[in-house]
């Protein structure tokens, strides 16, 4: 049986990709940021060793633009190349998918009444490649398969935090019903507080960010009900990226334990945050519809 064994939250600031690619991660400005990921790099390589990461992220007008804006999209392809974001693609390996698990998750989510967009071909931008760099450094090939799960947080209206949490629960149900033994992690990326443009550019709210990280731990579900306007007002226009962390948290079930946590200001125009969570009681509520829809689908094809 496949299982979700851990959740990771991380910012995806593109400057960190540039720093890593240019060997500047030990420069005075970047060292405290990269140092905060050291624990995780050791843990993931020596102990956690996931087979697959479901990488919840957002595209920044690289794969999608205003011609198509999927709210939730799942990558079912074999591989994804790093996107050219205006100065050439990052010199990092292609991301290798896990089509069998991805299609299984797509089916389970859709029968669970989450109407996913299915993507078989796309390039992936800093939203996906920077978290990989922070966790794995600069290997020849990424040592893990990745299922990209893209969320619209770029164009209004993004999904609610509550819907994101519920999607996480549905992802856990999907993974739990996959027959092959797989060690699966889920990562929620983006954030933390930041606003990149306009009169409030540079806004950072460390107190709010830390309260948000507190709320990911234990068995509280208080973060589900934060309205969009609170993210915008308290954490800046791009702080809305944090709803993606709630998909990760929802997939970890009832209760979590924090293994590692890191917060640093500044990084570009943002605060960066990072957390590693383990499920304590991974129970997720049953779906009101999945079983019935699955049975109907099975009988239709048999
Ligand atoms: C920047 C871009 C992002 O997408 C983000 O989430 C944080 C920072 C930047 O351009 O600095
Ligand atoms: Fe971003």
């Amino acid at each position: 049986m496949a299982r979700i064994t851990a959740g990771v939250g991380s910012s995806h600031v593109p400057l960190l990709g540039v720093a890593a690619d240019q060997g500047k991660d030990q420069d005075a400005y970047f060292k405290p940021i990269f140092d905060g990921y050291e624990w995780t790099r050791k843990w993931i390589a020596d102990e956690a060793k996931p087979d697959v990461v479901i990488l919840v992220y957002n595209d920044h007008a690289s794969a999608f633009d205003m011609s198509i804006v999927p709210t939730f999209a799942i990558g079912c392809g074999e591989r994804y190349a790093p996107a050219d974001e205006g100065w050439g693609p990052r010199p990092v390996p292609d991301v290798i998918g896990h089509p069998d698990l991805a299609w299984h998750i797509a089916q389970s989510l859709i029968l669970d009444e989450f109407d996913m967009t299915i993507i078989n071909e796309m390039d992936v931008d800093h939203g996906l490649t920077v978290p990989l760099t922070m966790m794995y450094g600069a290997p020849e090939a990424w040592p893990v398969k990745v299922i990209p799960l893209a969320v619209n947080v770029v164009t209004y209206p993004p999904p609610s935090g509550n819907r994101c949490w519920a999607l996480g629960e549905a992802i856990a149900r999907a993974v739990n019903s996959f027959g092959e033994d797989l060690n699966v992690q889920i990562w929620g990326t983006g954030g933390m507080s930041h606003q990149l443009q306009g009169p409030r550019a540079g806004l950072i709210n460390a107190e709010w960010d830390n309260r948000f990280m507190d709320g990911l731990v234990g068995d509280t579900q208080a973060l589900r009900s934060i309205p969009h306007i609170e993210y915008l007002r308290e954490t800046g226009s791009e702080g809305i990226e944090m709803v993606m962390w709630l998909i990760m948290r929802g997939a970890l079930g009832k209760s979590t334990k924090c293994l590692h946590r890191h917060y640093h200001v500044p990084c570009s125009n943002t605060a960066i945050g990072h957390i590693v969570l383990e499920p304590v009681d991974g129970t997720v509520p049953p779906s009101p519809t999945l079983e019935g829809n699955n049975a109907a689908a099975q009988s239709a094809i048999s």
Side-chain angles (χ1 to χ4, degrees), residues 4-226:
I4 294 180
T5 54
V8 173
S10 177
S11 302
H12 64 213
V13 183
L15 185 62
L16 296 177
V18 178
D21 298 344
Q22 297 184 357
K24 294 186 173 159
D25 51 301
Q26 292 307 300
D27 286 10
Y29 182 86
F30 293 110
K31 189 174 176 352
I33 300 169
F34 281 86
D35 279 357
Y37 284 80
E38 264 307 305
W39 184 93
T40 313
R41 286 191 198 196
K42 251 190 103 36
W43 166 80
I44 210 159
D46 299 344
E47 213 179 304
K49 300 180 185 162
D51 302 307
V52 185
V53 168
I54 299 168
L55 210 160
V56 180
Y57 81 108
N58 74 285
D59 177 80
H60 302 73
S62 302
F64 316 126
D65 58 23
M66 286 307 285
S67 64
I68 178 163
V69 184
T71 300
F72 294 122
I74 182 165
C76 294
E78 300 275 354
R79 64 196 302 135
Y80 311 92
D84 183 347
E85 299 183 56
W87 48 88
R90 286 190 62 207
V92 293
D94 280 7
V95 172
I96 306 302
H98 195 305
D100 284 352
L101 178 59
W103 279 105
H104 171 85
I105 293 172
Q107 170 175 313
S108 183
L109 291 178
I110 289 166
L111 296 183
D112 211 344
E113 303 188 340
F114 286 84
D115 306 315
M116 307 298 289
T117 298
I118 291 168
I119 304 179
N120 292 309
E121 284 178 30
M122 67 171 168
D123 293 346
V124 288
D125 72 11
H126 69 270
L128 188 136
T129 62
V130 166
L132 280 173
T133 296
M134 299 314 284
M135 255 52 85
Y136 287 110
E140 287 280 301
W142 299 118
V144 69
K145 304 265 174 64
V146 175
I147 297 177
L149 199 145
V151 181
N152 168 42
V153 289
V154 167
T155 303
Y156 197 82
S160 72
N162 184 52
R163 188 64 174 159
C164 286
W165 190 295
L167 175 63
E169 293 174 334
I171 290 170
R173 289 192 286 270
V175 170
N176 290 345
S177 66
F178 190 67
E180 192 183 328
D181 258 337
L182 285 176
N183 174 353
V184 180
Q185 288 190 355
I186 183 162
W187 296 2
T189 62
M192 299 209 75
S193 54
H194 63 299
Q195 172 139 351
L196 299 176
Q197 69 285 303
R200 297 206 309 161
L203 179 146
I204 283 168
N205 188 340
E207 202 239 311
W208 197 100
D209 287 341
N210 278 290
R211 227 179 320 124
F212 185 88
M213 288 211 274
D214 292 343
L216 295 168
V217 183
D219 67 2
T220 169
Q221 300 199 3
L223 300 180
R224 285 181 93 132
S225 55
I226 299 169

Side-chain angles (χ1 to χ4, degrees), residues 1 77 81 135 140 143 159 180 198 200 228 255 260 290:
M1 294 279 272
M135 255 52 85
E140 287 280 301
E180 192 183 328
R200 297 206 309 161
H228 285 151
S255 184
H260 176 66
L290 177 59

